[in-house]
Structure formats: structure tokens, C-alpha cells
Short mmCIF file of all heavy atoms in Angstrom, two decimals:
data_model
loop_
_atom_site.label_atom_id
_atom_site.label_comp_id
_atom_site.label_asym_id
_atom_site.label_seq_id
_atom_site.Cartn_x
_atom_site.Cartn_y
_atom_site.Cartn_z
N MET A 33 -5.80 -1.99 27.00
CA MET A 33 -6.00 -3.41 27.21
C MET A 33 -4.63 -4.08 27.18
O MET A 33 -3.85 -3.86 26.27
CB MET A 33 -6.88 -3.96 26.09
CG MET A 33 -7.06 -5.44 26.16
SD MET A 33 -8.09 -6.13 24.84
CE MET A 33 -9.56 -5.17 24.96
N ASN A 34 -4.35 -4.90 28.19
CA ASN A 34 -3.07 -5.58 28.20
C ASN A 34 -3.17 -6.92 27.47
O ASN A 34 -4.24 -7.35 27.05
CB ASN A 34 -2.54 -5.75 29.63
CG ASN A 34 -3.40 -6.68 30.47
OD1 ASN A 34 -3.95 -7.65 29.96
ND2 ASN A 34 -3.51 -6.39 31.75
N LYS A 35 -2.01 -7.59 27.33
CA LYS A 35 -1.96 -8.83 26.57
C LYS A 35 -2.86 -9.92 27.17
O LYS A 35 -3.52 -10.66 26.45
CB LYS A 35 -0.53 -9.32 26.48
CG LYS A 35 -0.34 -10.51 25.60
CD LYS A 35 1.10 -10.92 25.47
CE LYS A 35 1.19 -12.14 24.57
NZ LYS A 35 2.54 -12.57 24.35
N ASP A 36 -2.91 -10.00 28.50
CA ASP A 36 -3.75 -11.01 29.15
C ASP A 36 -5.23 -10.77 28.86
O ASP A 36 -5.99 -11.71 28.64
CB ASP A 36 -3.52 -11.01 30.66
CG ASP A 36 -2.16 -11.56 31.04
OD1 ASP A 36 -1.59 -12.33 30.23
OD2 ASP A 36 -1.67 -11.22 32.12
N GLN A 37 -5.65 -9.51 28.85
CA GLN A 37 -7.04 -9.19 28.55
C GLN A 37 -7.38 -9.55 27.10
O GLN A 37 -8.44 -10.09 26.82
CB GLN A 37 -7.32 -7.71 28.79
CG GLN A 37 -7.34 -7.33 30.26
CD GLN A 37 -7.43 -5.83 30.45
OE1 GLN A 37 -6.73 -5.07 29.79
NE2 GLN A 37 -8.29 -5.42 31.35
N ALA A 38 -6.46 -9.22 26.18
CA ALA A 38 -6.69 -9.54 24.77
C ALA A 38 -6.78 -11.05 24.58
O ALA A 38 -7.64 -11.55 23.85
CB ALA A 38 -5.58 -8.96 23.90
N SER A 39 -5.92 -11.79 25.26
CA SER A 39 -5.95 -13.25 25.17
C SER A 39 -7.26 -13.80 25.72
O SER A 39 -7.86 -14.70 25.14
CB SER A 39 -4.76 -13.83 25.94
OG SER A 39 -4.79 -15.23 25.90
N GLY A 40 -7.72 -13.26 26.82
CA GLY A 40 -8.99 -13.69 27.40
C GLY A 40 -10.15 -13.41 26.47
O GLY A 40 -11.07 -14.23 26.33
N ASN A 41 -10.14 -12.24 25.84
CA ASN A 41 -11.19 -11.90 24.88
C ASN A 41 -11.19 -12.89 23.72
O ASN A 41 -12.25 -13.32 23.27
CB ASN A 41 -11.00 -10.49 24.33
CG ASN A 41 -11.39 -9.42 25.32
OD1 ASN A 41 -12.03 -9.70 26.32
ND2 ASN A 41 -10.98 -8.21 25.06
N TRP A 42 -10.00 -13.24 23.24
CA TRP A 42 -9.92 -14.16 22.11
C TRP A 42 -10.51 -15.51 22.49
O TRP A 42 -11.27 -16.10 21.74
CB TRP A 42 -8.48 -14.31 21.64
CG TRP A 42 -8.35 -15.31 20.54
CD1 TRP A 42 -7.71 -16.51 20.59
CD2 TRP A 42 -8.89 -15.21 19.21
NE1 TRP A 42 -7.83 -17.16 19.40
CE2 TRP A 42 -8.55 -16.39 18.53
CE3 TRP A 42 -9.65 -14.25 18.56
CZ2 TRP A 42 -8.93 -16.62 17.21
CZ3 TRP A 42 -10.03 -14.48 17.25
CH2 TRP A 42 -9.67 -15.65 16.58
N LYS A 43 -10.18 -16.00 23.68
CA LYS A 43 -10.71 -17.29 24.12
C LYS A 43 -12.24 -17.25 24.17
O LYS A 43 -12.91 -18.22 23.80
CB LYS A 43 -10.13 -17.67 25.47
CG LYS A 43 -8.69 -18.08 25.39
CD LYS A 43 -8.10 -18.37 26.75
CE LYS A 43 -6.62 -18.67 26.60
NZ LYS A 43 -5.94 -18.79 27.87
N GLN A 44 -12.77 -16.13 24.58
CA GLN A 44 -14.22 -15.97 24.66
C GLN A 44 -14.86 -15.98 23.28
O GLN A 44 -15.95 -16.52 23.10
CB GLN A 44 -14.54 -14.66 25.38
CG GLN A 44 -16.00 -14.34 25.50
CD GLN A 44 -16.25 -13.00 26.17
OE1 GLN A 44 -15.34 -12.39 26.72
NE2 GLN A 44 -17.48 -12.54 26.10
N PHE A 45 -14.20 -15.42 22.29
CA PHE A 45 -14.79 -15.25 20.96
C PHE A 45 -14.40 -16.34 19.96
O PHE A 45 -14.92 -16.36 18.85
CB PHE A 45 -14.44 -13.87 20.39
CG PHE A 45 -15.29 -12.78 20.97
CD1 PHE A 45 -14.83 -11.99 22.00
CD2 PHE A 45 -16.58 -12.57 20.50
CE1 PHE A 45 -15.63 -10.99 22.55
CE2 PHE A 45 -17.38 -11.57 21.03
CZ PHE A 45 -16.90 -10.79 22.06
N LYS A 46 -13.53 -17.25 20.34
CA LYS A 46 -13.12 -18.32 19.42
C LYS A 46 -14.31 -19.11 18.91
O LYS A 46 -14.36 -19.48 17.74
CB LYS A 46 -12.11 -19.26 20.08
CG LYS A 46 -10.71 -18.78 19.95
CD LYS A 46 -9.64 -19.55 20.68
CE LYS A 46 -9.64 -20.98 20.81
NZ LYS A 46 -8.40 -21.52 21.42
N GLY A 47 -15.27 -19.36 19.77
CA GLY A 47 -16.46 -20.11 19.35
C GLY A 47 -17.25 -19.40 18.27
O GLY A 47 -17.72 -20.03 17.32
N THR A 48 -17.38 -18.08 18.41
CA THR A 48 -18.13 -17.34 17.38
C THR A 48 -17.37 -17.29 16.07
O THR A 48 -17.97 -17.27 15.00
CB THR A 48 -18.50 -15.91 17.84
OG1 THR A 48 -17.31 -15.17 18.08
CG2 THR A 48 -19.36 -15.94 19.09
N VAL A 49 -16.03 -17.28 16.16
CA VAL A 49 -15.21 -17.32 14.95
C VAL A 49 -15.43 -18.65 14.24
O VAL A 49 -15.64 -18.71 13.02
CB VAL A 49 -13.71 -17.11 15.28
CG1 VAL A 49 -12.83 -17.43 14.08
CG2 VAL A 49 -13.46 -15.70 15.76
N LYS A 50 -15.42 -19.72 15.00
CA LYS A 50 -15.62 -21.06 14.44
C LYS A 50 -17.02 -21.20 13.83
O LYS A 50 -17.18 -21.84 12.79
CB LYS A 50 -15.39 -22.09 15.54
CG LYS A 50 -15.35 -23.50 15.08
CD LYS A 50 -13.99 -23.89 14.63
CE LYS A 50 -14.01 -25.38 14.30
NZ LYS A 50 -12.78 -25.98 14.19
N GLU A 51 -18.03 -20.59 14.46
CA GLU A 51 -19.38 -20.62 13.89
C GLU A 51 -19.43 -19.88 12.56
O GLU A 51 -20.06 -20.34 11.61
CB GLU A 51 -20.37 -19.98 14.86
CG GLU A 51 -20.71 -20.82 16.06
CD GLU A 51 -21.61 -20.09 17.04
OE1 GLU A 51 -22.24 -19.08 16.65
OE2 GLU A 51 -21.67 -20.52 18.20
N LYS A 52 -18.80 -18.73 12.51
CA LYS A 52 -18.82 -17.89 11.31
C LYS A 52 -18.00 -18.51 10.17
O LYS A 52 -18.43 -18.53 9.03
CB LYS A 52 -18.29 -16.49 11.66
CG LYS A 52 -18.09 -15.57 10.50
CD LYS A 52 -19.40 -15.06 9.94
CE LYS A 52 -19.12 -14.03 8.86
NZ LYS A 52 -20.27 -13.82 8.02
N TRP A 53 -16.80 -18.98 10.50
CA TRP A 53 -15.89 -19.52 9.50
C TRP A 53 -15.56 -20.96 9.87
O TRP A 53 -14.48 -21.27 10.40
CB TRP A 53 -14.63 -18.68 9.41
CG TRP A 53 -14.92 -17.28 8.95
CD1 TRP A 53 -15.27 -16.89 7.70
CD2 TRP A 53 -14.87 -16.09 9.75
NE1 TRP A 53 -15.46 -15.53 7.67
CE2 TRP A 53 -15.22 -15.00 8.91
CE3 TRP A 53 -14.57 -15.83 11.09
CZ2 TRP A 53 -15.28 -13.70 9.37
CZ3 TRP A 53 -14.63 -14.53 11.53
CH2 TRP A 53 -14.98 -13.48 10.68
N GLY A 54 -16.49 -21.87 9.60
CA GLY A 54 -16.37 -23.27 9.99
C GLY A 54 -15.21 -24.02 9.35
O GLY A 54 -14.82 -25.08 9.83
N LYS A 55 -14.68 -23.49 8.26
CA LYS A 55 -13.54 -24.16 7.62
C LYS A 55 -12.24 -23.94 8.39
O LYS A 55 -11.25 -24.61 8.11
CB LYS A 55 -13.36 -23.66 6.18
CG LYS A 55 -14.45 -24.11 5.24
CD LYS A 55 -14.17 -23.65 3.82
CE LYS A 55 -15.27 -24.07 2.88
NZ LYS A 55 -15.00 -23.61 1.50
N LEU A 56 -12.24 -23.02 9.34
CA LEU A 56 -11.04 -22.81 10.14
C LEU A 56 -10.92 -23.94 11.15
O LEU A 56 -11.89 -24.30 11.81
CB LEU A 56 -11.10 -21.46 10.88
CG LEU A 56 -11.11 -20.21 10.00
CD1 LEU A 56 -11.20 -18.96 10.88
CD2 LEU A 56 -9.87 -20.14 9.12
N THR A 57 -9.74 -24.49 11.25
CA THR A 57 -9.51 -25.61 12.16
C THR A 57 -9.10 -25.09 13.54
O THR A 57 -8.78 -23.91 13.71
CB THR A 57 -8.38 -26.50 11.63
OG1 THR A 57 -7.16 -25.76 11.65
CG2 THR A 57 -8.68 -27.00 10.22
N ASP A 58 -9.10 -26.00 14.50
CA ASP A 58 -8.62 -25.64 15.84
C ASP A 58 -7.16 -25.20 15.78
O ASP A 58 -6.75 -24.29 16.49
CB ASP A 58 -8.79 -26.81 16.81
CG ASP A 58 -10.25 -27.07 17.16
OD1 ASP A 58 -11.07 -26.11 17.07
OD2 ASP A 58 -10.59 -28.21 17.51
N ASP A 59 -6.38 -25.86 14.92
CA ASP A 59 -4.98 -25.46 14.75
C ASP A 59 -4.89 -24.04 14.19
O ASP A 59 -4.03 -23.26 14.59
CB ASP A 59 -4.24 -26.43 13.83
CG ASP A 59 -3.97 -27.76 14.49
OD1 ASP A 59 -4.00 -27.84 15.73
OD2 ASP A 59 -3.71 -28.73 13.75
N ASP A 60 -5.77 -23.70 13.24
CA ASP A 60 -5.81 -22.34 12.70
C ASP A 60 -6.07 -21.34 13.82
O ASP A 60 -5.40 -20.30 13.91
CB ASP A 60 -6.90 -22.19 11.64
CG ASP A 60 -6.62 -22.93 10.34
OD1 ASP A 60 -5.44 -23.21 10.05
OD2 ASP A 60 -7.59 -23.23 9.63
N LEU A 61 -7.05 -21.65 14.67
CA LEU A 61 -7.41 -20.74 15.75
C LEU A 61 -6.27 -20.59 16.75
O LEU A 61 -6.06 -19.51 17.31
CB LEU A 61 -8.68 -21.21 16.44
CG LEU A 61 -9.93 -21.21 15.56
CD1 LEU A 61 -11.12 -21.79 16.30
CD2 LEU A 61 -10.25 -19.82 15.04
N THR A 62 -5.50 -21.65 16.94
CA THR A 62 -4.33 -21.57 17.82
C THR A 62 -3.28 -20.65 17.22
O THR A 62 -2.69 -19.83 17.92
CB THR A 62 -3.74 -22.98 18.07
OG1 THR A 62 -4.74 -23.78 18.70
CG2 THR A 62 -2.51 -22.91 18.95
N VAL A 63 -3.05 -20.77 15.92
CA VAL A 63 -2.08 -19.91 15.23
C VAL A 63 -2.54 -18.46 15.26
O VAL A 63 -1.75 -17.55 15.51
CB VAL A 63 -1.87 -20.38 13.76
CG1 VAL A 63 -1.09 -19.36 12.97
CG2 VAL A 63 -1.17 -21.73 13.74
N ILE A 64 -3.83 -18.24 15.02
CA ILE A 64 -4.37 -16.87 14.99
C ILE A 64 -4.23 -16.21 16.34
O ILE A 64 -3.77 -15.07 16.43
CB ILE A 64 -5.86 -16.90 14.56
CG1 ILE A 64 -5.97 -17.34 13.10
CG2 ILE A 64 -6.51 -15.54 14.77
CD1 ILE A 64 -7.36 -17.76 12.68
N GLU A 65 -4.62 -16.90 17.40
CA GLU A 65 -4.50 -16.46 18.79
C GLU A 65 -4.74 -14.96 18.99
O GLU A 65 -3.94 -14.26 19.63
CB GLU A 65 -3.15 -16.87 19.37
CG GLU A 65 -3.10 -16.86 20.89
CD GLU A 65 -4.14 -17.78 21.53
OE1 GLU A 65 -4.29 -18.92 21.08
OE2 GLU A 65 -4.82 -17.32 22.47
N GLY A 66 -5.82 -14.46 18.40
CA GLY A 66 -6.22 -13.08 18.63
C GLY A 66 -5.56 -12.06 17.72
O GLY A 66 -5.76 -10.86 17.90
N LYS A 67 -4.80 -12.50 16.74
CA LYS A 67 -4.14 -11.57 15.82
C LYS A 67 -5.01 -11.38 14.59
O LYS A 67 -5.25 -12.31 13.82
CB LYS A 67 -2.76 -12.10 15.43
CG LYS A 67 -1.82 -12.23 16.59
CD LYS A 67 -0.47 -12.77 16.12
CE LYS A 67 0.18 -13.57 17.21
NZ LYS A 67 -0.09 -15.01 17.13
N ARG A 68 -5.46 -10.16 14.40
CA ARG A 68 -6.40 -9.86 13.33
C ARG A 68 -5.84 -10.20 11.95
O ARG A 68 -6.52 -10.79 11.12
CB ARG A 68 -6.79 -8.38 13.38
CG ARG A 68 -7.90 -8.01 12.43
CD ARG A 68 -8.21 -6.52 12.51
NE ARG A 68 -9.46 -6.20 11.88
CZ ARG A 68 -9.62 -6.10 10.56
NH1 ARG A 68 -8.61 -6.32 9.76
NH2 ARG A 68 -10.81 -5.80 10.06
N ASP A 69 -4.60 -9.83 11.69
CA ASP A 69 -4.01 -10.09 10.38
C ASP A 69 -3.90 -11.58 10.10
O ASP A 69 -4.08 -12.03 8.97
CB ASP A 69 -2.66 -9.40 10.22
CG ASP A 69 -1.63 -9.83 11.25
OD1 ASP A 69 -2.02 -10.19 12.38
OD2 ASP A 69 -0.43 -9.78 10.94
N GLN A 70 -3.66 -12.37 11.14
CA GLN A 70 -3.62 -13.82 10.98
C GLN A 70 -5.01 -14.37 10.64
O GLN A 70 -5.14 -15.27 9.82
CB GLN A 70 -3.12 -14.49 12.27
CG GLN A 70 -1.67 -14.22 12.58
CD GLN A 70 -0.73 -15.02 11.70
OE1 GLN A 70 -1.09 -16.08 11.20
NE2 GLN A 70 0.46 -14.51 11.51
N LEU A 71 -6.05 -13.82 11.27
CA LEU A 71 -7.42 -14.24 10.97
C LEU A 71 -7.76 -13.95 9.52
O LEU A 71 -8.27 -14.81 8.80
CB LEU A 71 -8.41 -13.55 11.91
CG LEU A 71 -9.90 -13.83 11.65
CD1 LEU A 71 -10.21 -15.32 11.75
CD2 LEU A 71 -10.77 -13.02 12.60
N VAL A 72 -7.46 -12.74 9.07
CA VAL A 72 -7.73 -12.37 7.68
C VAL A 72 -7.00 -13.32 6.73
O VAL A 72 -7.58 -13.82 5.77
CB VAL A 72 -7.34 -10.89 7.41
CG1 VAL A 72 -7.42 -10.57 5.93
CG2 VAL A 72 -8.24 -9.95 8.21
N GLY A 73 -5.74 -13.60 7.02
CA GLY A 73 -4.94 -14.49 6.17
C GLY A 73 -5.50 -15.90 6.12
O GLY A 73 -5.55 -16.53 5.05
N LYS A 74 -5.91 -16.43 7.26
CA LYS A 74 -6.46 -17.79 7.29
C LYS A 74 -7.80 -17.86 6.57
O LYS A 74 -8.11 -18.86 5.91
CB LYS A 74 -6.62 -18.30 8.72
CG LYS A 74 -5.31 -18.65 9.38
CD LYS A 74 -4.66 -19.83 8.70
CE LYS A 74 -3.36 -20.20 9.37
NZ LYS A 74 -2.68 -21.29 8.64
N ILE A 75 -8.61 -16.81 6.66
CA ILE A 75 -9.88 -16.78 5.92
C ILE A 75 -9.60 -16.78 4.42
O ILE A 75 -10.23 -17.50 3.65
CB ILE A 75 -10.73 -15.56 6.35
CG1 ILE A 75 -11.22 -15.76 7.78
CG2 ILE A 75 -11.91 -15.35 5.39
CD1 ILE A 75 -11.85 -14.54 8.39
N GLN A 76 -8.61 -15.99 4.00
CA GLN A 76 -8.22 -15.97 2.59
C GLN A 76 -7.81 -17.38 2.15
O GLN A 76 -8.22 -17.86 1.09
CB GLN A 76 -7.04 -15.03 2.37
CG GLN A 76 -7.37 -13.57 2.39
CD GLN A 76 -6.11 -12.75 2.16
OE1 GLN A 76 -5.52 -12.26 3.11
NE2 GLN A 76 -5.71 -12.64 0.93
N GLU A 77 -6.98 -18.00 2.95
CA GLU A 77 -6.44 -19.32 2.62
C GLU A 77 -7.53 -20.38 2.55
O GLU A 77 -7.60 -21.15 1.58
CB GLU A 77 -5.41 -19.70 3.70
CG GLU A 77 -4.71 -21.00 3.50
CD GLU A 77 -3.75 -21.30 4.64
OE1 GLU A 77 -3.06 -20.38 5.13
OE2 GLU A 77 -3.69 -22.47 5.03
N ARG A 78 -8.39 -20.44 3.55
CA ARG A 78 -9.41 -21.50 3.62
C ARG A 78 -10.57 -21.29 2.66
O ARG A 78 -11.16 -22.26 2.18
CB ARG A 78 -9.97 -21.62 5.04
CG ARG A 78 -8.96 -22.04 6.04
CD ARG A 78 -8.63 -23.53 5.91
NE ARG A 78 -7.70 -23.90 6.95
CZ ARG A 78 -6.56 -24.54 6.71
NH1 ARG A 78 -6.24 -24.88 5.48
NH2 ARG A 78 -5.76 -24.84 7.70
N TYR A 79 -10.92 -20.03 2.39
CA TYR A 79 -12.10 -19.75 1.57
C TYR A 79 -11.76 -19.24 0.17
O TYR A 79 -12.65 -19.07 -0.65
CB TYR A 79 -13.01 -18.73 2.27
CG TYR A 79 -13.72 -19.33 3.47
CD1 TYR A 79 -13.12 -19.34 4.72
CD2 TYR A 79 -14.97 -19.91 3.33
CE1 TYR A 79 -13.76 -19.90 5.82
CE2 TYR A 79 -15.62 -20.48 4.42
CZ TYR A 79 -15.01 -20.47 5.66
OH TYR A 79 -15.64 -21.04 6.74
N GLY A 80 -10.49 -18.99 -0.10
CA GLY A 80 -10.09 -18.50 -1.42
C GLY A 80 -10.51 -17.08 -1.70
O GLY A 80 -10.67 -16.68 -2.85
N TYR A 81 -10.70 -16.29 -0.64
CA TYR A 81 -11.12 -14.89 -0.78
C TYR A 81 -9.92 -14.00 -1.11
O TYR A 81 -8.79 -14.29 -0.73
CB TYR A 81 -11.71 -14.35 0.53
CG TYR A 81 -13.03 -14.93 0.96
CD1 TYR A 81 -13.52 -14.65 2.22
CD2 TYR A 81 -13.79 -15.74 0.13
CE1 TYR A 81 -14.74 -15.15 2.65
CE2 TYR A 81 -15.00 -16.25 0.56
CZ TYR A 81 -15.47 -15.95 1.81
OH TYR A 81 -16.66 -16.46 2.23
N GLN A 82 -10.23 -12.90 -1.79
CA GLN A 82 -9.25 -11.83 -1.92
C GLN A 82 -9.12 -11.14 -0.57
O GLN A 82 -10.03 -11.22 0.26
CB GLN A 82 -9.72 -10.81 -2.98
CG GLN A 82 -9.82 -11.38 -4.38
CD GLN A 82 -8.45 -11.76 -4.93
OE1 GLN A 82 -7.47 -11.05 -4.72
NE2 GLN A 82 -8.39 -12.89 -5.62
N LYS A 83 -8.02 -10.44 -0.36
CA LYS A 83 -7.78 -9.80 0.93
C LYS A 83 -8.90 -8.84 1.30
O LYS A 83 -9.34 -8.80 2.45
CB LYS A 83 -6.45 -9.06 0.93
CG LYS A 83 -6.12 -8.48 2.28
CD LYS A 83 -4.73 -7.88 2.34
CE LYS A 83 -4.49 -7.40 3.77
NZ LYS A 83 -3.14 -6.93 3.96
N GLU A 84 -9.40 -8.07 0.34
CA GLU A 84 -10.45 -7.08 0.62
C GLU A 84 -11.72 -7.76 1.11
O GLU A 84 -12.39 -7.27 2.01
CB GLU A 84 -10.74 -6.23 -0.62
CG GLU A 84 -9.60 -5.37 -1.08
CD GLU A 84 -8.53 -6.13 -1.87
OE1 GLU A 84 -8.82 -7.20 -2.46
OE2 GLU A 84 -7.38 -5.66 -1.87
N ALA A 85 -12.07 -8.89 0.51
CA ALA A 85 -13.29 -9.61 0.91
C ALA A 85 -13.13 -10.18 2.32
O ALA A 85 -14.05 -10.10 3.13
CB ALA A 85 -13.59 -10.74 -0.08
N ALA A 86 -11.95 -10.71 2.62
CA ALA A 86 -11.70 -11.25 3.96
C ALA A 86 -11.73 -10.13 4.99
O ALA A 86 -12.30 -10.28 6.07
CB ALA A 86 -10.36 -11.98 3.99
N GLU A 87 -11.12 -8.99 4.66
CA GLU A 87 -11.13 -7.83 5.56
C GLU A 87 -12.56 -7.38 5.84
O GLU A 87 -12.91 -7.07 6.98
CB GLU A 87 -10.35 -6.66 4.95
CG GLU A 87 -8.87 -6.82 4.95
CD GLU A 87 -8.22 -6.42 6.27
OE1 GLU A 87 -8.92 -5.95 7.20
OE2 GLU A 87 -7.00 -6.60 6.38
N LYS A 88 -13.38 -7.36 4.79
CA LYS A 88 -14.77 -6.91 4.93
C LYS A 88 -15.54 -7.86 5.86
O LYS A 88 -16.30 -7.40 6.72
CB LYS A 88 -15.43 -6.86 3.55
CG LYS A 88 -16.82 -6.30 3.55
CD LYS A 88 -17.37 -6.21 2.13
CE LYS A 88 -18.77 -5.66 2.14
NZ LYS A 88 -19.32 -5.55 0.78
N GLU A 89 -15.33 -9.16 5.71
CA GLU A 89 -16.02 -10.13 6.57
C GLU A 89 -15.58 -9.98 8.02
O GLU A 89 -16.40 -10.04 8.93
CB GLU A 89 -15.75 -11.55 6.09
CG GLU A 89 -16.61 -11.92 4.92
CD GLU A 89 -16.87 -13.41 4.84
OE1 GLU A 89 -16.54 -14.16 5.78
OE2 GLU A 89 -17.42 -13.82 3.82
N VAL A 90 -14.27 -9.82 8.24
CA VAL A 90 -13.76 -9.67 9.61
C VAL A 90 -14.31 -8.39 10.23
O VAL A 90 -14.74 -8.39 11.39
CB VAL A 90 -12.22 -9.70 9.65
CG1 VAL A 90 -11.68 -9.31 11.02
CG2 VAL A 90 -11.72 -11.09 9.27
N LYS A 91 -14.35 -7.31 9.46
CA LYS A 91 -14.88 -6.04 9.97
C LYS A 91 -16.35 -6.20 10.37
O LYS A 91 -16.77 -5.74 11.44
CB LYS A 91 -14.72 -4.95 8.91
CG LYS A 91 -15.38 -3.63 9.24
CD LYS A 91 -14.60 -2.85 10.27
CE LYS A 91 -15.15 -1.46 10.44
NZ LYS A 91 -15.80 -1.23 11.71
N ALA A 92 -17.13 -6.87 9.53
CA ALA A 92 -18.54 -7.09 9.84
C ALA A 92 -18.69 -7.94 11.10
O ALA A 92 -19.53 -7.67 11.95
CB ALA A 92 -19.25 -7.75 8.66
N TRP A 93 -17.84 -8.97 11.23
CA TRP A 93 -17.87 -9.83 12.42
C TRP A 93 -17.51 -9.03 13.67
O TRP A 93 -18.17 -9.15 14.69
CB TRP A 93 -16.91 -11.01 12.24
CG TRP A 93 -16.82 -11.89 13.43
CD1 TRP A 93 -17.67 -12.91 13.76
CD2 TRP A 93 -15.86 -11.82 14.49
NE1 TRP A 93 -17.29 -13.48 14.95
CE2 TRP A 93 -16.17 -12.83 15.41
CE3 TRP A 93 -14.77 -11.01 14.73
CZ2 TRP A 93 -15.42 -13.04 16.57
CZ3 TRP A 93 -14.01 -11.22 15.89
CH2 TRP A 93 -14.36 -12.22 16.78
N GLU A 94 -16.48 -8.18 13.57
CA GLU A 94 -16.07 -7.33 14.70
C GLU A 94 -17.22 -6.43 15.14
O GLU A 94 -17.51 -6.30 16.33
CB GLU A 94 -14.88 -6.44 14.32
CG GLU A 94 -13.59 -7.17 14.12
CD GLU A 94 -12.53 -6.29 13.48
OE1 GLU A 94 -12.85 -5.39 12.69
OE2 GLU A 94 -11.36 -6.52 13.78
N ASP A 95 -17.84 -5.78 14.17
CA ASP A 95 -18.94 -4.86 14.48
C ASP A 95 -20.11 -5.59 15.12
O ASP A 95 -20.69 -5.11 16.09
CB ASP A 95 -19.40 -4.13 13.22
CG ASP A 95 -18.36 -3.15 12.68
OD1 ASP A 95 -17.40 -2.81 13.41
OD2 ASP A 95 -18.51 -2.73 11.52
N HIS A 96 -20.45 -6.75 14.58
CA HIS A 96 -21.59 -7.52 15.11
C HIS A 96 -21.32 -8.03 16.53
O HIS A 96 -22.22 -8.03 17.37
CB HIS A 96 -21.88 -8.70 14.18
CG HIS A 96 -22.98 -9.58 14.67
ND1 HIS A 96 -24.30 -9.22 14.59
CD2 HIS A 96 -22.95 -10.79 15.26
CE1 HIS A 96 -25.05 -10.17 15.11
NE2 HIS A 96 -24.26 -11.15 15.53
N ASN A 97 -20.09 -8.46 16.79
CA ASN A 97 -19.75 -9.05 18.09
C ASN A 97 -19.12 -8.07 19.06
O ASN A 97 -18.79 -8.45 20.18
CB ASN A 97 -18.81 -10.24 17.88
CG ASN A 97 -19.52 -11.39 17.24
OD1 ASN A 97 -20.34 -12.05 17.86
ND2 ASN A 97 -19.23 -11.62 15.98
N LYS A 98 -18.94 -6.83 18.60
CA LYS A 98 -18.30 -5.80 19.43
C LYS A 98 -16.95 -6.29 19.94
O LYS A 98 -16.56 -6.08 21.08
CB LYS A 98 -19.21 -5.41 20.59
CG LYS A 98 -20.49 -4.75 20.12
CD LYS A 98 -21.40 -4.42 21.27
CE LYS A 98 -22.65 -3.71 20.84
NZ LYS A 98 -23.54 -4.44 19.99
N TYR A 99 -16.19 -6.96 19.04
CA TYR A 99 -14.87 -7.46 19.40
C TYR A 99 -13.82 -6.39 19.10
O TYR A 99 -13.86 -5.77 18.05
CB TYR A 99 -14.53 -8.73 18.59
CG TYR A 99 -13.23 -9.35 19.05
CD1 TYR A 99 -13.19 -10.15 20.19
CD2 TYR A 99 -12.05 -9.12 18.37
CE1 TYR A 99 -12.01 -10.70 20.64
CE2 TYR A 99 -10.87 -9.68 18.79
CZ TYR A 99 -10.85 -10.46 19.93
OH TYR A 99 -9.68 -11.01 20.36
N ARG A 100 -12.95 -6.18 20.03
CA ARG A 100 -11.86 -5.20 19.86
C ARG A 100 -10.53 -5.90 20.02
O ARG A 100 -10.32 -6.62 20.99
CB ARG A 100 -11.98 -4.07 20.86
CG ARG A 100 -13.26 -3.28 20.75
CD ARG A 100 -13.34 -2.50 19.44
NE ARG A 100 -14.67 -2.01 19.23
CZ ARG A 100 -15.45 -2.36 18.21
NH1 ARG A 100 -15.06 -3.22 17.32
NH2 ARG A 100 -16.66 -1.85 18.08
N TRP A 101 -9.66 -5.69 19.10
CA TRP A 101 -8.34 -6.32 19.13
C TRP A 101 -7.49 -5.63 20.09
O TRP A 101 -6.88 -4.93 20.37
CB TRP A 101 -7.72 -6.36 17.74
CG TRP A 101 -8.60 -7.07 16.77
CD1 TRP A 101 -9.53 -6.52 15.95
CD2 TRP A 101 -8.70 -8.49 16.54
NE1 TRP A 101 -10.18 -7.48 15.23
CE2 TRP A 101 -9.68 -8.69 15.57
CE3 TRP A 101 -8.03 -9.58 17.06
CZ2 TRP A 101 -10.02 -9.96 15.11
CZ3 TRP A 101 -8.39 -10.82 16.59
CH2 TRP A 101 -9.36 -11.02 15.62
#
């Protein structure tokens, strides 16, 4: 998958990310821009989760939505 494809996938899935983690702002989603580690970090920041809990939630979201980074 090239960078353009990954970017397109992210644009497609931003809405589902916002549904799942409503505390994430549009600015957060712009910063994340398809980077998994950034998503985990922002979830930790906004929800006060430990890294392991944020990782677990992102993994579950990936599996449910069949999202590939």
C-alpha cells in the first residue's frame, strides 16, 4: 500500500474513529492523519488511559473495521 492509499483509507475511516472516540477533536484527527502511534497517544491523552488499554481499544477497532495501517 502506498502513502496515497493509506491517506485515502484514513479519510474513509475518520468518521468511525470519531464515533468510537468522541473526545478526539478534528484537530486531533488532523495530527493523527493515519498514524497508529499518534492515535494511541491521543486516546491516552483524551481519556486518561494507560498505553496498554489504548492499544487494546485500537486493536479491537482495527479488527472490527478491518482497518490496515
Side-chain angles (χ1 to χ4, degrees):
M33 176 181 306
N34 66 34
K35 186 177 180 178
D36 290 337
Q37 289 172 315
S39 178
N41 285 346
W42 177 247
K43 288 176 184 173
Q44 178 182 349
F45 281 99
K46 274 174 37 173
T48 62
V49 169
K50 189 86 175 196
E51 286 175 18
K52 173 74 175 162
W53 297 288
K55 290 183 181 180
L56 296 179
T57 66
D58 289 334
D59 288 340
D60 290 337
L61 296 176
T62 299
V63 169
I64 292 164
E65 198 59 45
K67 297 180 210 94
R68 188 181 194 282
D69 59 330
Q70 292 284 335
L71 176 59
V72 171
K74 287 294 181 184
I75 291 169
Q76 285 180 261
E77 182 181 322
R78 296 286 182 232
Y79 288 88
Y81 291 170
Q82 296 294 320
K83 184 174 183 174
E84 296 79 24
E87 286 277 357
K88 185 177 179 179
E89 281 207 9
V90 170
K91 173 75 171 111
W93 177 84
E94 290 169 329
D95 292 345
H96 178 75
N97 290 288
K98 296 178 177 64
Y99 186 79
R100 300 293 167 243
W101 302 94

